[in-house]
């Protein structure tokens, strides 16, 4: 499979890398694929929280790099989804504890044992980002429909290109159809046009996301979650299926327009 | 916001999303070229200053652009037309 080692990155922080990683990895594992998710955000371990696995961690990625334990043995088995495994980040202050060549080695150790290996990149464009991207053969850039995030996504795209990587695929996260209809927020089409990247997913703003994360339960496991559905679609597209993009526009009726004009929202 | 502002906002100005799109397109053009946003204007001023004393140059037709041919190295292209005979 060409899309086997997948790095999820963004430049800007807090746009949804860990959310996308945890959910798409879960969706693929739920379909029966063997999936490993590596948290490459050294010092700011978070992927374990989204998956609800924080209490099960014994070893982390730095132990693997130091040779204390082989990568496969350090993996935490997911509690809900069979076939899903997490390699936690370390909480060390030394961000350079894992070098690009270390990550390449870890991925090589795991490659034959998994159908997919996800790497959840730290924010920024420093060494940690490069470490996360280096072993990847597919890069997913997550962006919010927002100025700074789009600019950073473009920067990251340029750096990936300079690293000789294939062009990243784009996930636009946290689209709010109401704000788009009001003309306050950029539309997905605008974002795609500005960045000119292949679109892999459109994930709407989901008011329940905070509660899924608070419970440590990925949104893809819930039929009723709209973000969950969008993220399941991403998993299908990674499997090469052509899934139409969800239409998340809101119809703005005449009444809404009048109300807006007169100060309502 | 008063009613008047609402009406002005609705009919007068562009939606924020359109403004954002235009701003981003410009920002990315310079980011991709690795140039500061006012670079072209600064270069243009310097070029015009250097050219202004040549009678055969059509100063009003001088054109400066960042090339967008997707080449490895970005170029600033300067077009200096000669005055019509
Ligand atoms: N589609 C969505 N709808 C609503 N909230 C979302 C959505 N996606 C992400 N969030 C929220 O955004 C916050 C940041 O998400 P996340 O931790 O995945 O970002 P990140 O890019 O991994 O951040 P960091 O750069 O710190 O690693 C979380 O609180 C999450 O609940
Ligand atoms: Mg994260």
């Amino acid at each position: 499979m060409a899309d086997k080692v997948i790095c999820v990155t963004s430049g800007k922080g807090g746009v949804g890398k860990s959310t996308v990683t945890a959910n798409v990895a879960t969706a693929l594992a739920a379909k029966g694929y063997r999936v490993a998710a590596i948290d490459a955000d050294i010092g700011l371990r978070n992927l374990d929280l989204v998956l609800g696995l924080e209490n099960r961690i014994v070893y982390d990625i730095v132990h693997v790099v130091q040779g204390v334990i082989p990568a496969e043995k350090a993996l935490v088995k997911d509690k809900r989804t069979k076939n899903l495994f997490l390699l936690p980040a370390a909480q060390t202050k030394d961000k350079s504890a894992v070098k690009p060549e270390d990550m390449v080695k870890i991925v090589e150790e795991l490659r034959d044992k998994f159908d997919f290996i996800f790497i959840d990149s730290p924010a920024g464009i420093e060494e940690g980002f490069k470490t996360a991207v280096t072993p990847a053969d597919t890069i997913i850039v997550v962006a919010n429909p927002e100025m700074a995030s789009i600019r950073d996504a473009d920067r990251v795209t340029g750096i990936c290109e300079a690293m000789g990587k294939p062009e990243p695929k784009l996930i636009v996260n946290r689209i709010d159809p109401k704000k788009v209809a009001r003309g306050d927020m950029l539309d997905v089409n605008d974002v795609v046009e500005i960045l000119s990247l292949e679109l892999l997913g459109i994930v709407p703003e989901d008011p329940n996301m905070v509660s899924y994360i608070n419970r440590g339960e990925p949104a893809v496991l819930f039929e009723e979650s709209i973000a969950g559905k969008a993220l399941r679609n991403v998993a299908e597209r990674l499997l090469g299926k052509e899934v139409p993009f969800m239409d998340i526009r809101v119809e703005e009726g005449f009444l809404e327009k009048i109300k807006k004009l007169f100060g309502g929202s | 916001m008063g009613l008047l502002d609402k009406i002005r906002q609705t009919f007068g100005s562009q939606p924020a999303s359109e403004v954002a799109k235009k701003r981003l397109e410009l920002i990315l053009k310079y980011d991709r070229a690795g140039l500061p946003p006012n670079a072209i204007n600064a270069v243009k001023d310097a070029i015009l200053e250097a050219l202004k004393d040549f009678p055969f140059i059509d100063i009003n037709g001088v054109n400066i652009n960042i090339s967008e041919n997707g080449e490895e190295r970005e170029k600033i292209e300067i077009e200096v037309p000669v005055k019509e005979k």
Side-chain angles (χ1 to χ4, degrees):
Chain A
M1 227 173 296
D3 294 324
K4 176 158 186 167
V5 183
I6 302 169
C7 178
V8 182
T9 191
S10 67
K12 192 170 185 313
V15 300
K17 295 177 292 295
S18 300
T19 306
V20 165
T21 305
N23 277 281
V24 178
T26 299
L28 286 165
K31 288 182 75 77
Y33 294 92
R34 278 181 64 82
V35 184
I38 302 176
D39 189 348
D41 201 346
I42 311 302
L44 296 168
R45 179 197 285 167
N46 272 158
L47 193 56
D48 54 331
L49 297 180
V50 189
L51 291 166
L53 295 177
E54 66 278 6
N55 289 332
R56 304 193 174 201
I57 295 172
V58 180
Y59 301 104
D60 63 47
I61 193 166
V62 170
H63 294 129
V64 177
V65 171
Q66 290 168 342
V68 176
I69 191 161
E72 212 190 348
K73 290 252 165 63
L75 296 172
V76 182
K77 199 174 171 336
D78 191 67
K79 57 183 179 193
R80 280 181 209 82
T81 317
K82 236 179 87 194
N83 299 328
L84 177 60
F85 298 84
L86 167 73
L87 181 56
Q91 286 293 52
T92 48
K93 270 183 279 171
D94 180 14
K95 284 202 172 234
S96 62
V98 184
K99 302 240 174 325
E101 57 271 26
D102 298 325
M103 195 61 94
V104 169
K105 219 175 127 223
I106 291 170
V107 167
E108 281 322 305
E109 264 186 76
L110 299 176
R111 187 182 280 275
D112 292 340
K113 293 160 187 118
F114 290 92
D115 299 308
F116 290 97
I117 299 172
F118 283 86
I119 304 171
D120 182 15
S121 151
I125 49 174
E126 316 291 315
E127 191 68 14
F129 151 79
K130 293 207 168 115
T131 297
V133 168
T134 299
D137 43 46
T138 297
I139 294 158
I140 296 177
V141 166
V142 182
N144 294 160
E146 183 242 315
M147 299 276 295
S149 174
I150 293 169
R151 184 187 206 173
D152 288 5
D154 194 67
R155 282 282 285 145
V156 162
T157 300
I159 296 169
C160 290
E161 192 190 354
M163 288 171 78
K165 292 290 171 186
E167 194 174 85
K169 295 174 183 172
L170 176 67
I171 293 181
V172 184
N173 186 28
R174 309 196 73 164
I175 285 264
D176 185 335
K178 285 207 198 84
K179 290 188 184 157
V180 173
R182 257 187 261 145
D184 289 341
M185 183 181 266
L186 284 162
D187 179 14
V188 180
N189 297 330
D190 294 331
V191 182
V192 171
E193 194 186 318
I194 294 165
L195 290 173
S196 62
L197 294 175
E198 183 194 324
L199 187 61
L200 183 67
I202 305 170
V203 185
E205 175 73 25
D206 189 334
N208 294 323
M209 194 56 97
V210 64
S211 120
Y212 293 128
I213 294 178
N214 282 343
R215 294 176 198 279
E217 299 175 335
V220 286
L221 296 176
F222 299 87
E223 274 304 317
E224 68 275 16
S225 163
I226 40 167
K229 176 156 199 283
L231 289 158
R232 284 197 299 274
N233 286 348
V234 169
E236 295 290 339
R237 290 184 197 110
L238 285 175
L239 291 168
K241 300 206 183 90
E242 274 190 37
V243 187
F245 289 96
M246 270 157 62
D247 190 1
I248 54 170
R249 277 173 305 179
V250 288
E251 292 291 333
E252 200 186 18
F254 182 68
L255 216 70
E256 267 73 35
K257 284 193 185 129
I258 298 286
K259 255 196 261 167
K260 203 165 75 182
L261 197 60
F262 288 96
S265 71
Chain B
M1 203 191 299
L3 180 61
L4 224 88
D5 290 321
K6 273 276 170 194
I7 292 171
R8 201 176 294 134
Q9 193 193 36
T10 309
F11 295 107
S13 61
Q14 289 178 311
S17 57
E18 259 171 56
V19 178
K21 190 175 180 197
K22 290 204 181 108
R23 287 179 68 202
L24 274 166
E25 277 165 350
L26 202 71
I27 293 164
L28 294 196
K29 187 168 157 176
Y30 284 96
D31 277 0
R32 283 171 188 168
L35 289 168
N38 206 28
I40 291 295
N41 287 333
V43 171
K44 187 165 186 175
D45 288 347
I47 297 280
L48 290 180
E49 182 60 29
L51 294 178
K52 71 177 192 313
D53 294 333
F54 297 98
F56 47 85
I57 286 172
D58 176 8
I59 263 298
N60 295 322
V62 173
N63 203 355
I64 303 192
N65 265 312
I66 303 173
S67 70
E68 281 185 293
N69 48 13
E71 274 177 27
E72 225 166 86
R73 175 121 44 112
E74 300 292 336
K75 294 192 195 104
I76 295 176
E77 285 173 342
I78 306 169
E79 199 185 332
V80 183
V82 171
K83 265 194 191 142
E84 278 180 55
K85 276 184 276 186

